[in-house]
Amino acid sequence: MARFIFITGGVVSSLGKGLASAALGSLLQARGYSVRLRKLDPYLNVDPGTMSPFEHGEVFVTDDGAETDLDLGHYERFTGVPARNTDSVSSGRIYSTVLEKERRGDYLGKTIQVVPHVTNEIKDFLAVGEDEVDFMLCEIGGTVGDIEGLPFFEAIRQFSHDKPRGQCIFMHLTLLPYLAASGELKTKPTQHSVKELQSIGIAPDVLVCRSEHPIPEKERAKIALFCNVRKEAVVAAYDLASIYEAPLAYHKEGLDQAVLDAFAISPAPRPNLRVWNDVYDRIHNTDGEVKIAIVGKYVQLEDAYKSIKEALIHGGMSNRVKVRVEWVDAELFDSADAAPHLEGYHAILVPGGFGERGTEGKIKAAQFAREKNVPYLGICLGMQMAVIEAARNVAGLKTAGSEEFDHEAGKKRFEPVVYHLKEWVQGNHKVERSSDDDKGGTMRLGAYDAALSEGSKVAEVYGSTAIEERHRHRYEVDIKYREKLESFGLMFSGMSPDGRLPEIVEWTDHPWFIGVQFHPELKSKPFAPHPLFDGFVKAAVENSRLV
Ligand code: GLN
């Protein structure tokens, strides 16, 4: 049965709880344990799938098709453990399950209350698959004291009480603000935040204190005394040059040791940090830099393309170069010349997106990359735009468009090169959708296989002709146009196994131009960069040598 580590936060939000959880997970793996990480989010959306990237950053999709919080991306990138549908839950999902049960009469006429019905539902969620791993790390979103978070805090309190002693511990992240005027780190907000936790029956075992300055021994002792934790369990978290230094930095500060001590695991297995030392070396020993443009719509909020940015960093690590990512707003050249905005980049990436805004700019970015031989990676919408560009400007289908936009724009006559997919095959069964389905969870979601053409660029990049990648989209490139586009050199080099859905396109007479209908960025890791990002950065390096 798993040991549970509950991770909570106090004082302010955005302290890096997700990162601390992920880094701790990787350190426990380094000591030979198996782990799984989970996120419990107090908001009322059933999942983040319907939230705007401006609100919530990227939606991270799992193999089994769940649309989850971007912290699950961190968990996967640090531990390599593929997240599942059952690793992410929100108040919305919990309440909707409770209400469904109530309607079905499952509660046998009882009055339904937060305690015990909602808290029981949360506890059931925590227990799923608990026999499978040595450690289950559960992060509670938000900050202690938030009204919405209370049922979750109450549930983890009860959960730890239900388990045998010593099977659950609590780790709390706080902030030590620095007052420049007096040159001091202040511990009072941490004391208050721990008091808040204690008032709901939770006593932290480990405190992780974010600080911009070294924590003096005296302050550490004071925090330990006032917060009722052991001095060694007050762990410092300093700012880092790269998030991938976090496992080594936390290890140095004694986080994994403090956690094992809290479980009274003695002697603690020795850690093997080879992977993270190698990652550290690749970040700090680079030769040169490439400049890559991400041409998108949500450029004000970098979290909207979190996994893409990380995957590019991984590609830089495998090629031992620094990758400088610049965000270019596609709307700037929706109806203007793209060249002044795109010149000088060693490669161009057009990421996924929804809705018409900025798409004309993205089409121009694909055209620019094709004509100027600049390496191009089109992801999901970025592939669809590349196909529309090819149809309009190369194959002579002047009105080529996508049903996603032209449909909304009053059904003008156009060539639907990209159409709304209404039925497809997943594994052994057929999935059907209609245009007026709910917006939540109704896309082609999760892992699907693709067959790559022998001899294609993409087969070379993957070193394989059979792949499996994660999807999140409603629209598809229409196979009807394959023959025509291929006759002009746009090869459909990856297809769904039944041959009906184009998964990958590439220009055969271009140094590196690949569009993919899926999201390769979701599977990239610092210690195992995704082949497409490795290849794309390599092509950028080659291009940088030419200019
Ligand atoms: N909006 C497009 C679709 O639904 C692309 C989605 C995406 O880029 N994730 O097909």
Side-chain angles (χ1 to χ4, degrees):
M1 212 184 281
R3 294 178 165 97
F4 282 81
I5 304 169
F6 294 109
I7 299 130
T8 58
V11 184
V12 291
S13 58
S14 307
L15 279 179
K17 250 186 314 163
L19 187 59
S21 309
L24 175 59
S26 71
L27 288 174
L28 292 168
Q29 286 179 316
R31 289 185 185 258
Y33 296 109
S34 59
V35 301
R36 178 161 287 285
L37 287 101
R38 288 199 164 144
K39 179 86 192 271
L40 297 89
D41 272 308
Y43 51 71
L44 283 170
N45 303 59
V46 172
D47 63 40
T50 52
M51 284 192 214
S52 153
F54 291 121
E55 284 282 314
H56 193 260
E58 139 187 301
V59 173
F60 189 81
V61 180
T62 59
D63 281 332
D64 57 6
E67 299 179 278
T68 71
D69 186 81
L70 52 72
D71 272 325
L72 271 79
H74 280 316
Y75 303 164
E76 273 204 40
R77 282 188 282 275
F78 279 80
T79 63
V81 177
R84 297 182 194 149
N85 181 17
T86 44
D87 294 331
S88 165
V89 81
S90 64
S91 294
R93 171 116 76 108
I94 296 286
Y95 278 99
S96 74
T97 316
V98 169
L99 294 176
E100 258 166 48
K101 286 188 180 170
E102 186 272 337
R103 291 289 85 183
R104 268 205 315 262
D106 290 3
Y107 296 115
L108 306 174
K110 286 260 181 312
T111 307
I112 313 306
Q113 297 180 298
V114 172
V115 181
H117 301 97
V118 170
T119 47
N120 280 351
E121 201 60 46
I122 299 172
K123 290 198 288 182
D124 289 349
F125 165 80
L126 292 170
V128 173
E130 62 176 326
D131 297 326
E132 293 171 20
V133 288
D134 298 323
F135 286 95
M136 194 78 94
L137 287 74
C138 306
E139 176 191 347
I140 315 292
T143 318
V144 59
D146 296 346
I147 291 176
E148 301 141 319
L150 274 173
F152 288 103
F153 283 93
E154 170 60 13
I156 59 175
R157 182 196 68 76
Q158 291 178 17
F159 189 91
S160 73
H161 196 70
D162 298 343
K163 293 283 176 199
R165 258 183 112 75
Q167 209 184 317
C168 302
I169 69 161
F170 296 92
M171 169 170 137
H172 189 56
L173 256 87
T174 71
L175 174 73
L176 301 183
Y178 178 74
L179 282 193
S182 56
E184 281 177 317
L185 283 176
K186 307 306 290 182
T187 65
K188 195 64 95 191
T190 298
Q191 295 178 38
H192 278 299
S193 155
V194 169
K195 210 177 257 168
E196 181 90 39
L197 262 186
Q198 286 169 337
S199 74
I200 50 182
I202 295 173
D205 299 279
V206 177
L207 278 182
V208 174
C209 302
R210 277 295 294 267
S211 169
E212 288 175 10
H213 295 269
I215 306 175
E217 271 314 291
K218 198 173 117 256
E219 303 306 323
R220 205 183 287 263
K222 189 168 160 193
I223 296 169
L225 181 66
F226 282 93
C227 298
N228 202 29
V229 292
R230 291 165 54 251
K231 201 164 131 229
E232 303 74 50
V234 179
V235 176
Y238 301 122
D239 296 346
L240 300 168
S242 157
I243 57 169
Y244 300 116
E245 293 174 21
L248 293 182
Y250 273 123
H251 177 67
K252 187 164 150 254
E253 295 301 326
L255 177 63
D256 42 337
Q257 189 61 52
V259 164
L260 296 175
D261 286 347
F263 282 111
I265 296 176
S266 173
R270 289 175 64 82
N272 176 351
L273 296 167
R274 195 181 41 80
V275 170
W276 295 105
N277 286 326
D278 179 54
V279 164
Y280 185 92
D281 183 61
R282 287 175 179 279
I283 297 169
H284 291 279
N285 294 308
T286 51
D287 180 14
E289 179 182 87
V290 289
K291 238 171 83 180
I292 296 182
I294 299 188
V295 182
K297 182 167 72 169
Y298 314 107
V299 288
Q300 300 92 320
L301 182 73
E302 296 187 11
D303 269 0
Y305 304 118
K306 184 86 192 144
S307 294
I308 291 185
K309 189 172 166 217
E310 296 307 322
L312 285 171
I313 294 173
H314 306 159
M317 286 160 68
S318 59
N319 288 284
R320 286 203 184 260
V321 288
K322 274 210 175 63
V323 174
R324 193 155 100 218
V325 170
E326 289 190 14
W327 309 88
V328 179
D329 183 354
E331 283 184 88
L332 292 176
F333 42 90
D334 254 346
S335 49
D337 184 12
H341 300 275
L342 298 176
E343 257 148 20
Y345 292 105
H346 301 127
I348 293 173
L349 189 152
V350 176
F354 292 84
E356 186 163 16
R357 256 179 52 204
T359 49
E360 287 303 321
K362 292 177 191 177
I363 290 170
K364 284 184 192 161
Q367 181 179 11
F368 179 88
R370 174 177 59 78
E371 290 177 344
K372 303 276 194 254
N373 280 335
V374 177
Y376 177 92
L377 177 57
I379 294 179
C380 208
L381 188 69
M383 162 183 171
Q384 298 173 356
M385 296 303 102
V387 172
I388 292 176
E389 193 278 316
R392 282 188 194 171
N393 302 327
V394 183
L397 300 167
K398 291 279 172 256
T399 60
S402 164
E403 283 188 356
E404 180 170 7
F405 334 124
D406 297 284
H407 177 72
E408 287 164 11
K411 300 196 172 60
K412 64 177 184 250
R413 271 176 68 84
F414 72 106
E415 214 46 83
V417 172
V418 178
Y419 71 105
H420 189 178
L421 182 73
K422 305 276 174 35
E423 55 172 72
W424 64 91
V425 182
Q426 180 166 37
N428 292 324
H429 69 280
K430 202 162 100 182
V431 188
E432 288 180 74
R433 297 276 189 264
S434 86
S435 304
D436 28 68
D437 270 342
D438 282 354
K439 283 283 179 264
T442 52
M443 286 183 263
R444 186 149 90 97
L445 280 167
Y448 285 85
D449 292 332
L452 313 187
S453 311
E454 211 71 71
S456 61
K457 167 76 93 197
V458 78
E460 177 197 318
V461 166
Y462 273 93
S464 165
T465 52
I467 61 165
E468 187 197 78
E469 294 282 4
R470 296 183 193 167
H471 289 247
R472 180 175 186 250
H473 56 110
R474 276 194 188 86
Y475 299 85
E476 299 277 345
V477 170
D478 198 329
I479 184 80
K480 236 176 32 209
Y481 297 91
R482 178 176 189 172
E483 214 173 307
K484 185 162 183 100
L485 291 169
E486 288 202 328
S487 73
F488 287 95
L490 185 72
M491 180 179 180
F492 284 41
S493 51
M495 299 294 296
S496 59
D498 62 5
R500 287 181 54 214
L501 304 175
E503 293 277 6
I504 304 170
V505 296
E506 61 184 75
W507 279 111
T508 45
D509 57 352
H510 187 285
W512 210 100
F513 190 113
I514 296 178
V516 295
Q517 188 55 75
F518 44 81
H519 290 275
E521 71 275 17
L522 302 178
K523 297 221 293 198
S524 188
K525 299 170 185 92
F527 44 82
H530 191 285
L532 278 170
F533 284 87
D534 171 40
F536 180 57
V537 173
K538 193 172 282 138
V541 172
E542 274 156 28
N543 188 32
S544 75
R545 299 215 171 102
L546 296 177
V547 288

